[in-house]
Each structure stands twice: as structure tokens, then as C-alpha cells.
């Protein structure tokens, strides 16, 4: 890209010199003005090319980040859905234990506390997973 632009600049300068040299009046100032105009035009062209390339790169990055975010959200949702299923099972077991008439109160208390601790651990795990995925999604922004 730099080589092409350098060649373009050289071509513009030579044509402007030839153009300015052909006019007989104020040859020096015409040459000077022609060179200034050509240099400014080349600078503008280079600047617009760089801006265009940057915009294209940003668009590509945004598209890639969207795909990554979608994959991360999908992974998070699958992990959280598994944990939600486990929590639901534990809650059902907890309710069954509380309604049980064949167990003693001590057995009920021990089992209900165990199920409650398991539910709390699963909910904490769910929160950690969600937080980790949120951080990774924020890192992509």
C-alpha cells in the first residue's frame, strides 16, 4: 500500500511539474502551488484510505465479537440449565422429605439441612458461572 501511494505521489509530482513548467508566466509560483495542491490531495487520499481501513477492521471485530458473545451465552445457558435442573431436583427431594411421615423428626431435620446446603452450593455455583461469563463478555466490548 505504501509503495502504491509513493508511486502515486511521484506520478502526481512529475505531472504537476510538467504542467507548471509549460506555462510561461509565474513558473515558480505555479509550480509551487501545483505541488502544494498535489501533496494535499495525496494526504487526503491517504487519510481517507486509512480511515476506511480502520472502519472495516472495526466492523470485522464487531462481527467476530458478536459471534463470540453468542457462543459464550450459549455455553453459560447450558451450564446454568443443568444447575437449575439439579436445584429443582433437590427442592423436590426437600419437599418430599418435609412431607414424609415415615421418618423421625431428627432424620427429617438432618436431611432437610443437607438438601438446603446442597441447594445453596448449587446456587452459589450458578452465580459464579454467571459472573465469570459476564466478565468474559464485558472483556469483548
Amino acid at each position: 500500500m505504501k509503495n502504491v501511494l509513493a508511486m502515486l505521489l511521484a506520478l502526481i509530482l512529475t505531472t504537476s511539474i510538467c504542467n507548471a513548467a509549460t506555462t510561461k508566466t509565474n513558473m515558480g509560483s505555479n509550480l509551487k502551488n501545483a505541488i502544494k495542491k498535489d501533496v494535499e490531495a495525496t494526504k487526503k487520499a491517504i487519510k481517507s484510505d486509512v480511515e476506511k481501513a480502520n472502519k472495516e477492521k472495526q466492523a470485522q471485530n464487531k462481527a467476530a465479537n458478536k459471534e463470540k458473545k453468542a457462543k459464550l451465552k450459549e455455553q453459560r445457558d447450558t451450564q446454568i440449565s443443568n444447575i437449575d435442573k439439579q436445584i429443582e431436583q433437590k427442592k423436590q427431594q426437600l419437599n418430599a422429605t418435609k412431607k414424609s411421615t415415615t421418618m423421625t423428626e431428627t432424620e427429617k431435620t438432618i436431611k432437610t439441612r443437607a438438601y438446603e446446603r446442597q441447594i445453596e452450593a448449587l446456587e452459589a455455583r450458578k452465580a459464579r458461572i454467571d459472573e465469570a461469563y459476564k466478565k468474559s463478555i464485558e472483556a469483548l466490548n
Side-chain angles (χ1 to χ4, degrees), residues 1-140:
M1 174 110 178
K2 289 181 182 179
N3 292 338
V4 172
L5 293 174
M7 290 172 46
L8 179 65
L9 182 61
L11 179 65
I12 290 172
L13 287 175
T14 55
T15 56
S16 64
I17 289 170
C18 290
N19 187 19
T22 57
T23 60
K24 292 183 179 181
T25 59
N26 294 331
M27 187 176 102
S29 63
N30 285 343
L31 179 63
K32 184 178 176 183
N33 291 337
I35 291 174
K36 279 185 182 180
K37 286 180 184 177
D38 289 340
V39 168
E40 288 175 12
T42 306
K43 282 182 182 179
K44 286 180 183 177
I46 292 170
K47 193 173 186 178
S48 66
D49 287 345
V50 168
E51 288 174 356
K52 191 177 191 182
N54 285 341
K55 286 180 182 178
E56 289 175 2
K57 182 73 172 174
Q58 288 175 349
Q60 288 175 350
N61 287 344
K62 283 184 180 181
N65 285 346
K66 268 189 177 180
E67 292 175 8
K68 288 178 184 178
K69 285 179 185 179
K71 287 180 183 178
L72 287 173
K73 286 181 181 179
E74 185 179 322
Q75 289 175 350
R76 181 194 66 193
D77 291 343
T78 56
Q79 287 184 349
I80 287 179
S81 67
N82 290 337
I83 292 173
D84 284 338
K85 288 177 187 176
Q86 291 176 0
I87 289 173
E88 192 61 35
Q89 289 174 350
K90 296 297 177 188
K91 285 182 179 179
Q92 289 175 356
Q93 291 172 345
L94 178 66
N95 289 336
T97 303
K98 286 181 179 179
K99 292 180 182 178
S100 176
T101 57
T102 59
M103 286 188 236
T104 63
E105 284 298 317
T106 307
E107 287 176 317
K108 282 184 185 181
T109 305
I110 292 171
K111 285 190 177 186
T112 55
R113 286 185 182 167
Y115 288 136
E116 287 171 352
R117 278 190 237 112
Q118 290 173 0
I119 290 170
E120 287 174 4
L122 288 171
E123 287 176 349
R125 183 174 165 204
K126 179 180 169 181
R128 283 193 309 271
I129 289 171
D130 192 43
E131 184 179 332
Y133 279 105
K134 282 183 181 177
K135 285 182 182 178
S136 60
I137 288 172
E138 287 175 4
L140 290 175

